[in-house]
Amino acid sequence: MNMIERQLQNAVNKLVAWCDNNGHTISAKKSLCVHFCRKRNTHLDPNTQIRNAPIPVVNEIRFLGVIFDRKVAFLPHIFHLRKKCERSLNILKVLSRTSWGADRTSLHRVYQAVILSSIDYECMVYGCARPTVLRRLDTIHHSALRICYGAFRTSPVESLYVICHQLPSRILLFCERAKMLLHGSDLNVSVQFSDFFTFPPWEIPQFSFLNPFSGF
């Protein structure tokens, strides 16, 4: 921790010096520090300062809309996102009235714009959380689809995905699935990457090739 404190303090000092030279100021009271550590043993928090003013250490911090906790479990972010989406479900409940409500297409578009956009935002960051934590968002996803298409609560989830043309909320990318298959099969496979856009299509270089029909 002593080495980490020295490295952090050197970085903070360089940042403060750059701000002083460029006409900016950094407030220690508005700055926060999070000690990310998953070890069970007690570790001291780093002590960093800005102009002899200590930077407070907190358990979680919000950065670009994502709440990072010190255990990097993303459980506070999932709880915050779930409450936000539950409030947005009221919009679908109001618009899904049978007498004057919107149709399925309109409800689906509202769902994608209001709820699904919030779930998909930064999902590649908090997607590394445990599956049990991510399942807390499945109820929001399923409830919204049932409201949009008028399905019963007892309707199977798989059938709901087929009817609504939606993918499950927890599905790995093709590259991740292929990597798991390659590691599981113990095959020594190397992927060769090639850049097909090294030159623009209107400047295609001249290729040398044999053309036996050139004389006809």
Side-chain angles (χ1 to χ4, degrees):
M1 182 55 66
N2 295 329
M3 182 185 65
I4 294 176
E5 286 183 355
R6 290 195 300 269
Q7 296 294 333
L8 286 176
Q9 191 61 50
N10 291 333
V12 171
N13 294 337
K14 292 181 181 179
L15 184 60
V16 172
W18 184 90
C19 291
D20 293 339
N21 296 330
N22 292 273
H24 299 281
T25 57
I26 298 180
S27 175
K29 297 180 180 179
K30 296 181 179 180
S31 302
L32 298 175
C33 176
V34 181
H35 178 197
F36 296 104
C37 182
R38 290 185 175 180
K39 295 183 178 181
R40 295 183 179 181
N41 298 331
T42 303
H43 291 78
L44 298 177
D45 294 330
N47 184 14
T48 54
Q49 299 177 356
I50 296 179
R51 295 188 180 90
N52 298 326
I55 300 177
V57 180
V58 296
N59 294 328
E60 58 186 40
I61 190 173
R62 186 171 183 174
F63 180 72
L64 296 179
V66 181
I67 300 176
F68 293 88
D69 56 296
R70 62 188 310 160
K71 295 296 183 180
V72 201
F74 294 102
L75 190 59
H77 178 72
I78 296 297
F79 285 154
H80 174 74
L81 184 59
R82 182 185 172 90
K83 292 182 180 179
K84 179 181 178 182
C85 294
E86 285 178 351
R87 292 192 298 266
S88 300
L89 279 177
N90 297 328
I91 301 176
L92 293 178
K93 293 178 181 178
V94 172
L95 295 177
S96 61
R97 297 293 295 271
T98 57
S99 58
W100 51 269
D103 55 354
R104 293 181 177 180
T105 304
S106 301
L107 289 175
H108 195 189
R109 290 175 180 175
V110 172
Y111 162 67
Q112 291 179 340
V114 179
I115 300 177
L116 191 59
S117 60
S118 300
I119 298 177
D120 290 342
Y121 177 72
E122 296 296 344
C123 62
M124 69 288 298
V125 177
Y126 71 85
C128 60
R130 298 191 303 270
T132 55
V133 176
L134 296 176
R135 288 195 193 101
R136 300 176 183 271
L137 297 176
D138 291 343
T139 56
I140 301 295
H141 185 54
H142 301 160
S143 299
L145 293 179
R146 287 189 173 95
I147 293 174
C148 293
Y149 286 84
F152 296 101
R153 292 185 178 181
T154 57
S155 301
V157 178
E158 291 77 9
S159 302
L160 192 64
Y161 287 148
V162 174
I163 295 174
C164 303
H165 304 285
Q166 288 289 327
L167 292 174
S169 57
R170 179 60 178 171
I171 182 172
L172 295 177
L173 299 177
F174 174 76
C175 58
E176 296 294 334
R177 286 179 285 159
K179 183 169 65 175
M180 294 174 58
L181 292 175
L182 291 176
H183 285 295
S185 58
D186 295 332
L187 295 177
N188 188 9
V189 179
S190 60
V191 181
Q192 181 70 28
F193 294 94
S194 178
D195 190 3
F196 297 97
F197 301 98
T198 55
F199 53 86
W202 55 85
E203 294 181 0
I204 298 178
Q206 298 296 328
F207 296 96
S208 300
F209 60 96
L210 296 177
N211 187 7
F213 301 100
S214 61
F216 295 93

